[in-house]
């Protein structure tokens, strides 16, 4: 039975496969700068690689991206370093080294600050108010226009002014809820609805 050699990358020293040892005069050559006759661990957990230390194999975390068949980086563990200024708008970082992620790294994108979430929700409220006003004042067909106008005039002679006031009141109510919210979850729970 041929002696097996277990190859490793010269730079990273990670396991790269196996091959039979070359032989010279029927004797296997087991000295190599990039292989060892010592087999790597039989089981390598996902997200880890076996790395040759020079005397034994060790299991190390592997968070790097890898190239696909087209040479495009794929996978990897995205992370952020808030201590270095990463925030919710920062692009994720990826490591090129074997081992654990840097100290202080988080694999969850930092949350938007409450002020930014409130600003977005306020824009949503104002936009929905504008859409509700347009929808309330726009009638789809001529026959429906005359019926709707007569109904509106019978109920409220000021018609459009009342509709505007109702939608503005709802808008102001929603904006007050957003202003009073003390967490991102509370802002996100504000349901933006208008009666049309």
């Amino acid at each position: 039975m041929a002696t097996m050699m277990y190859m490793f990358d010269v730079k990273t020293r990670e396991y790269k496969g196996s091959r039979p040892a070359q032989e010279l005069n029927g004797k296997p050559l087991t000295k190599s700068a990039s292989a060892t006759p010592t087999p790597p661990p039989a089981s390598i957990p996902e997200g880890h690689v076996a790395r040759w230390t020079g005397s034994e194999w060790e299991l190390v975390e592997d968070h790097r991206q890898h190239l696909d068949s087209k040479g495009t980086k794929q996978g990897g563990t995205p992370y952020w370093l808030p201590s270095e200024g990463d925030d919710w708008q920062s692009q994720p970082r990826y490591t090129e080294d074997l081992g654990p992620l840097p100290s202080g790294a988080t694999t969850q994108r930092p949350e938007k600050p409450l002020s930014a979430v409130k600003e977005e929700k306020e824009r949503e409220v104002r936009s929905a108010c504008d859409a509700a006003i347009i929808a309330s004042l726009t009638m789809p067909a001529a026959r429906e226009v005359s019926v709707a106008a007569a109904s509106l005039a019978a109920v409220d002679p000021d018609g459009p002014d009342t509709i505007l006031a109702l939608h503005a009141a709802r808008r102001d109510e929603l904006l007050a809820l957003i202003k009073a919210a003390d967490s991102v979850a509370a802002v996100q729970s504000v349901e933006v609805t208008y009666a049309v």
Side-chain angles (χ1 to χ4, degrees), residues 3 17-18 22 27 31 38 48 53 57 61 65 67 72 88 100 102 107 116 118-120 127 142 162 169 194:
T3 300
S18 61
Q22 294 177 342
K27 185 176 178 185
K31 299 281 186 191
T38 305
H48 290 72
T53 66
W57 292 100
E61 295 176 42
Q65 292 182 303
L67 299 179
T72 305
W88 60 278
T107 56
K118 284 184 174 187
E119 285 175 20
E120 287 179 1
S127 177
T162 301
Y194 289 87

Side-chain angles (χ1 to χ4, degrees), residues 121 124-125 170 174 177-178 186-194:
K121 196 68 159 185
E124 179 186 349
V125 165
R170 175 65 176 153
L174 293 170
L177 289 171
I178 294 167
V187 173
Q188 292 172 337
S189 72
V190 173
E191 188 177 348
V192 181
T193 59
Y194 289 87

Side-chain angles (χ1 to χ4, degrees), residues 23-94:
E23 293 187 10
L24 180 64
N25 298 326
K27 185 176 178 185
L29 301 174
T30 58
K31 299 281 186 191
S32 171
S34 61
T36 177
T38 305
S43 176
I44 300 173
E46 188 172 335
H48 290 72
V49 295
R51 178 172 61 188
W52 183 246
T53 66
S55 60
E56 64 182 356
W57 292 100
E58 65 179 351
L59 294 175
V60 293
E61 295 176 42
D62 184 8
H63 296 281
R64 302 169 300 168
Q65 292 182 303
H66 298 279
L67 299 179
D68 66 10
S69 60
K70 296 179 182 177
T72 305
K73 287 185 176 183
Q74 298 290 323
T77 304
Y79 69 94
W80 291 263
L81 289 171
S83 62
E84 293 189 18
D86 289 354
D87 64 15
W88 60 278
Q89 295 175 310
S90 300
Q91 291 296 316
R93 298 173 185 244
Y94 291 92

